[in-house]
Amino acid sequence: QVSGVIFSRIPDSGSPYFIINYEESGSTDRVTRGLVNNSIKIFRKTNLALLPLHWSLLLKSVTEIERVVNSTSLDIEFGITKSKKIIIFQVRPITSIDLKPILDSEIIKIIKQCKNDFRLNQNRHSLINDHGFFSDMTDWNPSEIIGNNPNLLDYSIYDYLIMNDAWCLGRKKLNYQNVSNKNLMIKFGNKPYVDVRCSFNSLIPKNIPQHLKKKLLHFYYKKLETNQHLHDKVEFEILFSCYEPFIENRLIELKSYNFSDAEIEELKNHLLEFTNKIINNFDDFSKECSDSIKIMKKNRLKILSNLSQNERKYKDLLTSSRLLLEDCKKFGTVPFSMMARLAFISSAILKSLIKNKQISNRSAEIFMNSIDSPLSRFQNDQIKFRNNQLSKKQFLNKYGHLRPGTYDINAIRYDQNPLLISDIKINSKTARNKHIKFNSEKKLGNSGLDFSKINFEDFVKKSLSQREELKFEFTKNLSDALELISEAGEKLNFSRDEISNLDITFILSSYKKYPRDSLRKKWKKAILKQKNKKLVFNNIVLPPIIASQNDFDVITYPFTKPNFVTKKKISGEIISIKKIIDVSDMSKKIVLLENADPGYDWIFSYNLAGLITKYGGVASHMAIRCAELNLPAAIGCGEIFYEKLQHSSRILLDCENSQISILEHTESDRFIEEKQILKSLGYIK
């Protein structure tokens, strides 16, 4: 009935988790070759009563085998019959485990603390809610911005600038419901999550009556609970945060959740009223954002100018960084939060028109290509730079503050390491048309949306462009602040990596309190403590979604992500191998392979740079081989991304941050290019 492979510990780290890679048929050969990617991770100390019977019986069998062979580091091929009888086909030792694994007792403490934190957070809200629900990719998706296991400085700055309260202050200005508990992000272990209750409550328009708010939230929670794979798509697939044309096609789903026809019509009218008010006031919102950018620029130049006129002592440097971060929040991330929401509303209307065939995909692509923003200017300037139409100095004067990792002090800025820009390859775009029109008056004529004060095309263009303008400008403040903190750290004999282990609030509250020597001792102690904690955190497995305490014991995944092997980060040419006769020289190249099949072992005779497979799990043959050879790999990237990789010629394989980035591709793909630009600008990891 079920067959698969189970590891009794995680390869490499030796962390105390069972990893089960399985399929529900009879062929263990398919699992061994990595053709199946159903995967579950179970903490070794989990109460077996919490598990489905077949997994409970399997783990009893495994622990029995562990006693027989006197080892807890095993790779076991198994089958389970319809009568729940466990069949063991073969047992092998895991050969790639670190010789000095973190003590299981330390991990047990952290998981116990995570469960306690979850219980405490169940009732911390005065919000309308069913129960605690936490996601790593909902709303402001911290996993994409700062990663699954961020340094403390990254996390604390992201929290200070956005997730503490700036995220909702912008929404409040647009008349979304105010939330009393404003902190959107919470950390379990060292992994950042979004509190879904905060997010959902904050995205309900204020004008919606209380009885509808309660029913809406109940619908949101239930739909996410039963469709957890939508946790990174809630605003398009679950929420009703604004009005859009043809919204009745989506609202009809509410009938299955005890909404009457009258209530659905009432909700529709409130959403229309709310959205029209935003559209009619857009010019005021836009002016506020423009004014904020001007103030932030002026203040930044003044702060940096004042600093350059003194001796740049560590206290002066840290004072200046504090001022830059304060401005970054007040004039940067708060208005950015507002404009990001306006950009979402304009995008939602446009997507609805496309989905309902009022606007063609091609017209929308041409229109989006016509929008002028820092992203498009960066792209165009890079093409000019590559064609020697723009000097390196001119290019870096514009973009030198950027770093591949906006919040990461260890990520070197472009102006400090110009070689970074050589890793980004952007294809030329078609010429920009500044006068694209959709004939939107006709398209939106019966929708009820009021575009009398600003036409629809301008609403979309200005909201998207200004969102990017704000992001581009506030990252200048942030980037300069990080450099000043690094410079202050050097004066106190701390490296960037050491500083990355400090909390920004601690940094900016301690430097005035203590004389130099005492401050160094305080920082050194805090750094050592955090480094020790991170060693343990590195060995904890946490799920993308947490809805109950049991999710800390039994980790499942809505959709399988690649299984990354090693912590290496490499970039290079990618070559797709389908048949042996297709092979040219694979040395120092990243090989793209469909199956994690033992029959492809011959590829390891080449000096490969890395390996990516379409199928395969952590227990597949190729995953084990790569772990043994310390070869960076992404095993099981899935069909959709595999197809994209087939049209690429050069990629970045970042196993440390669980990322694959396409640097250059053989065929134009707008979405890959847009994401690569975002990564190159440092907006996402």
Side-chain angles (χ1 to χ4, degrees):
Q1 188 179 49
V2 178
S3 62
V5 178
I6 179 170
F7 280 171
S8 59
R9 284 186 180 272
I10 293 180
D12 296 329
S13 67
S15 295
Y17 292 86
F18 295 106
I19 303 178
I20 308 173
N21 204 36
Y22 68 97
E23 75 164 352
E24 294 176 316
S25 73
S27 171
T28 60
D29 177 57
R30 282 172 55 80
V31 180
T32 304
R33 289 188 293 129
L35 294 178
V36 179
N37 223 355
N38 294 323
S39 187
I40 183 172
K41 297 182 176 72
I42 303 171
F43 181 50
R44 285 184 62 90
K45 300 299 180 181
T46 297
N47 182 352
L48 296 185
L50 298 174
L51 303 174
L53 179 61
H54 60 296
W55 294 143
S56 175
L57 293 172
L58 174 63
L59 295 193
K60 285 181 180 178
S61 296
V62 171
T63 52
E64 179 186 351
I65 293 169
E66 288 176 341
R67 287 195 297 273
V68 171
V69 300
N70 194 29
S71 172
T72 62
S73 301
L74 302 175
D75 169 4
I76 300 172
E77 198 168 328
F78 69 89
I80 304 176
T81 68
K82 289 181 180 179
S83 61
K84 302 294 184 286
K85 185 177 181 181
I86 307 299
I87 309 297
I88 301 299
F89 297 113
Q90 58 180 323
V91 181
R92 298 178 292 265
I94 301 174
T95 60
S96 57
I97 286 182
D98 193 319
L99 295 176
K100 296 180 181 178
I102 297 295
L103 290 175
D104 289 7
S105 59
E106 293 297 317
I107 297 175
I108 291 170
K109 287 179 187 176
I110 298 293
I111 292 177
K112 186 176 180 181
Q113 182 62 51
C114 286
K115 291 181 178 180
N116 187 52
D117 291 342
F118 180 84
R119 283 193 298 269
L120 292 174
N121 277 282
Q122 282 285 75
N123 302 309
R124 76 183 179 111
H125 292 277
S126 56
L127 301 172
I128 307 169
N129 68 85
D130 282 4
H131 60 271
F133 207 106
F134 303 91
S135 160
D136 65 359
M137 285 294 285
T138 299
D139 208 343
W140 287 83
N141 43 38
S143 280
E144 188 171 16
I145 306 300
I146 55 175
N148 282 323
N149 191 18
N151 290 319
L152 182 56
L153 186 62
D154 301 36
Y155 179 91
S156 61
I157 291 180
Y158 190 53
D159 190 51
Y160 170 75
L161 290 181
I162 292 178
M163 304 297 269
N164 185 261
D165 61 358
W167 67 279
C168 68
L169 294 177
R171 293 176 184 180
K172 184 181 176 183
K173 290 184 178 184
L174 299 177
N175 265 326
Y176 279 98
Q177 180 174 248
N178 190 28
V179 290
S180 55
N181 182 78
K182 294 182 172 60
N183 202 314
L184 185 63
M185 186 166 63
I186 184 171
K187 192 192 294 186
F188 291 106
N190 196 48
K191 182 175 168 64
Y193 289 88
V194 161
D195 188 326
V196 173
R197 292 169 302 180
C198 272
S199 173
F200 284 2
N201 274 268
S202 74
L203 287 170
I204 294 182
K206 196 175 179 180
N207 69 335
I208 292 178
Q210 192 72 4
H211 71 284
L212 287 180
K213 287 179 183 176
K214 288 184 177 180
K215 293 188 80 168
L216 264 181
L217 283 163
H218 178 72
F219 161 70
Y220 294 161
Y221 293 131
K222 290 299 178 185
K223 185 167 182 181
L224 181 58
E225 194 173 45
T226 53
N227 298 274
Q228 293 192 5
H229 64 282
L230 298 178
H231 76 119
D232 60 341
K233 306 172 187 68
V234 295
E235 292 186 66
F236 289 105
E237 303 286 346
I238 296 178
L239 306 184
F240 297 102
S241 60
C242 65
Y243 182 87
E244 62 195 53
F246 307 98
I247 196 172
E248 55 274 5
N249 296 338
R250 290 184 59 217
L251 288 170
I252 199 168
E253 184 181 3
L254 296 177
K255 287 188 176 183
S256 303
Y257 290 81
N258 299 317
F259 278 74
S260 66
D261 288 340
E263 286 175 325
I264 291 174
E265 186 66 22
E266 184 184 6
L267 174 60
K268 177 182 171 182
N269 291 334
H270 282 301
L271 289 171
L272 179 60
E273 176 192 23
F274 167 79
T275 307
N276 275 335
K277 189 174 180 181
I278 283 177
I279 295 169
N280 288 326
N281 291 324
F282 178 76
D283 283 342
D284 293 334
F285 297 137
S286 178
K287 184 178 184 305
E288 181 181 339
C289 289
S290 295
D291 291 344
S292 292
I293 288 175
K294 289 175 185 175
I295 295 170
M296 186 165 52
K297 279 183 179 179
K298 182 181 177 182
N299 289 354
R300 180 174 63 248
L301 292 173
K302 185 178 178 181
I303 291 167
L304 296 176
S305 175
N306 289 341
L307 183 61
S308 65
Q309 294 171 14
N310 59 37
E311 298 179 39
R312 298 180 77 89
K313 295 179 179 178
Y314 76 86
K315 287 188 176 182
D316 298 327
L317 293 164
L318 293 173
T319 296
S320 296
S321 66
R322 175 178 58 79
L323 294 173
L324 286 171
L325 291 174
E326 286 173 356
D327 267 18
C328 185
K329 180 175 181 178
K330 185 177 180 180
F331 301 113
T333 58
V334 171
F336 172 72
S337 171
M338 178 175 68
M339 192 53 69
R341 175 69 4 208
L342 291 167
F344 172 82
I345 292 171
S346 71
S347 297
I349 296 171
L350 178 60
K351 285 177 183 291
S352 183
L353 292 173
I354 296 168
K355 183 179 179 181
N356 290 281
K357 303 189 186 308
Q358 300 300 301
I359 295 174
S360 70
N361 281 306
R362 179 58 183 159
S363 295
E365 285 178 9
I366 295 171
F367 173 75
M368 295 299 287
N369 186 253
S370 73
I371 297 175
D372 183 48
S373 72
L375 292 177
S376 62
R377 292 196 293 275
F378 173 81
Q379 184 179 15
N380 290 334
D381 283 344
Q382 195 192 23
I383 293 169
K384 288 179 182 177
F385 169 67
R386 292 195 179 282
N387 294 332
N388 298 316
Q389 297 170 329
L390 195 71
S391 71
K392 184 178 286 187
K393 183 178 180 181
Q394 288 172 316
F395 185 85
L396 293 176
N397 280 340
K398 287 185 178 183
Y399 308 105
H401 70 284
L402 298 170
R403 60 177 83 228
T406 302
Y407 298 84
D408 186 359
I409 198 170
N410 291 310
I412 305 302
R413 285 165 48 129
Y414 285 2
D415 57 9
Q416 294 178 347
N417 185 6
L419 290 175
L420 283 171
I421 62 174
S422 65
D423 275 342
I424 309 160
K425 298 286 181 70
I426 310 273
N427 287 341
S428 299
K429 296 284 188 178
T430 54
R432 296 186 178 278
N433 189 328
K434 302 296 182 184
H435 305 290
I436 295 289
K437 291 289 182 183
F438 288 137
N439 192 16
S440 56
E441 294 83 1
K442 185 177 179 181
K443 311 278 187 191
L444 295 164
N446 298 323
S447 69
L449 288 169
D450 180 12
F451 283 99
S452 58
K453 289 190 175 181
I454 181 173
N455 68 59
F456 173 62
E457 289 87 354
D458 285 345
F459 178 58
V460 178
K461 281 189 176 185
K462 288 183 179 179
S463 61
L464 293 174
S465 178
Q466 229 170 348
R467 177 190 64 185
E468 298 309 315
E469 204 74 55
L470 277 160
K471 188 188 296 182
F472 189 73
E473 288 301 324
F474 87 65
T475 56
K476 288 182 181 178
N477 272 47
L478 172 54
S479 189
D480 286 342
L482 286 173
E483 290 311 298
L484 296 181
I485 292 169
S486 173
E487 188 179 341
E490 283 182 25
K491 292 182 182 296
L492 293 167
N493 298 321
F494 291 106
S495 66
R496 285 178 182 263
D497 183 61
E498 287 172 322
I499 293 293
S500 72
N501 289 283
L502 295 175
D503 186 292
I504 188 61
T505 305
F506 174 72
I507 290 174
L508 298 179
S509 65
S510 61
Y511 77 94
K512 286 185 178 179
K513 288 183 182 179
Y514 308 102
R516 179 190 172 91
D517 289 345
S518 297
L519 181 67
R520 283 199 76 258
K521 288 179 181 177
K522 291 280 183 184
W523 283 18
K524 194 171 183 179
K525 183 179 179 182
I527 289 167
L528 182 61
K529 182 179 179 182
Q530 180 60 23
K531 279 188 171 182
N532 289 334
K533 286 172 70 175
K534 190 90 183 283
L535 285 174
V536 182
F537 291 145
N538 289 343
N539 291 275
I540 294 175
V541 178
L542 291 166
I545 295 172
I546 299 173
S548 76
Q549 292 183 60
N550 294 342
D551 291 327
F552 295 106
D553 292 309
V554 182
I555 295 95
T556 57
Y557 301 90
F559 277 133
T560 303
K561 295 180 180 180
N563 298 283
F564 289 89
V565 182
T566 79
K567 296 293 182 182
K568 292 183 177 180
K569 180 177 180 179
I570 60 166
S571 63
E573 184 179 346
I574 186 168
I575 180 171
S576 180
I577 306 297
K578 290 185 178 179
K579 301 175 184 176
I580 295 179
I581 59 173
D582 290 339
V583 177
S584 56
D585 183 15
M586 292 185 294
S587 294
K588 298 182 180 179
K589 292 176 183 174
I590 300 168
V591 170
L592 183 64
L593 190 64
E594 187 164 10
N595 297 328
D597 192 318
Y600 281 91
D601 260 9
W602 53 269
I603 66 172
F604 296 114
S605 62
Y606 289 84
N607 181 25
L608 304 183
L611 176 69
I612 299 176
T613 68
K614 181 177 180 180
Y615 301 113
V618 71
S620 69
H621 176 82
M622 286 299 185
I624 297 169
R625 291 291 279 131
C626 291
E628 289 174 348
L629 297 169
N630 199 30
L631 181 72
I635 306 298
C637 69
E639 291 186 6
I640 295 174
F641 198 64
Y642 180 82
E643 292 301 318
K644 292 183 181 296
L645 289 172
Q646 282 190 310
H647 299 300
S648 67
S649 56
R650 193 163 177 270
I651 69 163
L652 170 69
L653 175 58
D654 183 356
C655 299
E656 171 71 28
N657 290 302
S658 303
Q659 294 281 340
I660 305 172
S661 303
I662 295 175
L663 302 176
E664 187 176 0
H665 38 83
T666 53
E667 294 183 16
S668 179
D669 185 318
R670 179 170 61 86
F671 298 104
I672 288 178
E673 290 187 5
E674 286 175 355
K675 187 148 189 174
Q676 179 51 34
I677 294 170
L678 288 171
K679 287 178 183 294
S680 67
L681 289 169
Y683 294 151
I684 61 176
K685 275 206 167 185

